[in-house]
Amino acid sequence: MILKVLGSSGAEFPGCNLPAFLIDGKVLLDGGTIGLALAETEQWNVRHILVTHAHLDHIRGIPFLADNILVRKRRHSITLYGLKDTLSAIRENLLNDRIWPDFTKIKVSRDPVIKMERISPARPIRIGRYTVTAHKVSHTIPAVGYIVRDDRKRVLLYTGDTGPTDSIWKTSGKLNTVIAEVSFPNRMEELARKTGHLTPRLLMAELRKIRNYPEKVFVTHPKPQYVAQIRRELARGADLQAELLQEGKEYEI
């Protein structure tokens, strides 16, 4: 399983892209950044987007990908997976023919450009050669993280945006890689908890909930203003052994 980081920032600044992670060139975890990081031909390979929640920084690239498909008249359809609340929010507040065209109704072949598929927490679904299980996490709106297993039994856990939570950490079996969010430094723990995010100290507490500690731990979603401080605090956690993801880099899971 090869993971390409299209974006992993907790806010948008020059050189800081919003969260999106491409698995084997085909499946996206979140869609905050797509067209800004993928060449046109690479965009046509994306068929599935696993959306953690409906906040704009995790879905912003999706409407522009749909527009690129339509403009090129590609016989191409993308499926968005998410909670009922997440998909409803995207349909009602984004793809509503006011903010952006409703690409769930616009077709370039027999199928609409965007299809939506509701997922239920703790119920695995099959996407190509991957088994994907969503788990509820603790954020300010309904949100999930995802556990992705490929046919080689490589396992990736992605928290999406979350504060302290439980369900997603109770998975049995080996975790090869964890991508967890850390938005704020330790001194801002009160704000992190209030907004449904983590600090390095809170992440350490979360990882102690895992039965089988992962081979690798990567951190996403830092606020750019605090990246240096978060990096220092992660380095001080000897038991943590976590590193910040680098945008544009590919990682083997």
Side-chain angles (χ1 to χ4, degrees):
M1 194 187 308
I2 301 297
L3 184 88
K4 183 174 181 178
V5 181
L6 308 188
S8 63
S9 178
E12 190 175 66
F13 283 91
C16 299
N17 287 343
L18 300 175
F21 308 93
L22 186 61
I23 298 174
D24 294 331
K26 298 177 182 179
V27 178
L28 270 172
L29 291 168
D30 280 329
T33 298
I34 303 175
L36 290 176
L38 291 178
E40 188 176 35
T41 53
E42 293 175 308
Q43 293 178 45
W44 311 147
N45 293 325
V46 177
R47 296 281 181 174
H48 309 276
I49 304 178
L50 298 160
V51 183
T52 58
H53 63 296
H55 278 159
L56 186 61
D57 58 327
H58 292 256
I59 62 173
R60 198 194 68 173
I62 297 171
F64 298 103
L65 174 61
D67 188 60
N68 291 344
I69 291 168
L70 181 66
V71 168
R72 279 295 194 181
K73 297 182 180 179
R74 301 287 301 186
R75 293 182 177 273
H76 190 84
S77 187
I78 308 157
T79 302
L80 305 186
Y81 302 83
L83 294 171
K84 178 182 178 182
D85 286 340
T86 299
L87 299 181
S88 295
I90 293 172
R91 189 187 297 273
E92 294 169 10
N93 301 307
L94 184 59
L95 304 178
N96 57 11
D97 286 327
R98 297 186 299 278
I99 302 300
W100 202 254
D102 185 354
F103 280 95
T104 67
K105 297 177 182 178
I106 299 172
K107 298 181 179 181
V108 289
S109 59
R110 290 183 302 173
D111 296 318
V113 175
I114 291 180
K115 295 185 287 187
M116 294 189 175
E117 185 167 327
R118 177 182 171 184
I119 52 101
S120 298
R123 292 187 181 180
I125 61 172
R126 191 73 178 171
I127 300 175
R129 64 188 188 90
Y130 312 98
T131 300
V132 180
T133 307
H135 291 271
K136 285 187 177 180
V137 295
S138 301
H139 198 41
T140 53
I141 62 172
V144 294
Y146 289 102
I147 296 175
V148 182
R149 293 177 171 86
D150 69 9
D151 286 344
R152 296 175 57 208
K153 299 183 180 180
R154 304 296 292 178
V155 183
L156 168 66
L157 184 156
Y158 171 52
T159 66
D161 285 8
T162 187
T165 193
D166 289 312
S167 172
I168 198 167
W169 302 120
K170 294 179 179 178
T171 180
S172 59
K174 182 179 180 180
L175 292 173
N176 298 102
T177 301
V178 166
I179 297 177
E181 79 112 85
V182 170
S183 295
F184 298 102
N186 289 330
R187 65 182 174 82
M188 301 179 71
E189 180 174 324
E190 182 179 355
L191 178 60
R193 288 181 179 273
K194 183 177 180 180
T195 57
H197 292 295
L198 296 175
T199 66
R201 186 184 298 121
L202 290 175
L203 175 59
M204 290 179 66
E206 293 299 287
L207 291 173
R208 294 190 187 105
K209 300 174 183 178
I210 301 178
R211 296 174 187 171
N212 299 286
Y213 202 83
E215 296 172 5
K216 303 173 186 176
V217 177
F218 293 110
V219 168
T220 183
H221 210 267
K223 298 296 183 183
Q225 303 94 318
Y226 305 114
V227 165
Q229 188 174 354
I230 290 170
R231 183 179 287 109
R232 289 194 298 270
E233 291 175 352
L234 290 172
R236 292 189 200 118
D239 297 333
L240 188 54
Q241 295 182 337
E243 63 177 281
L244 287 168
L245 288 171
Q246 297 180 40
E247 294 180 3
K249 186 174 178 178
E250 292 187 349
Y251 297 83
E252 186 172 357
I253 304 304

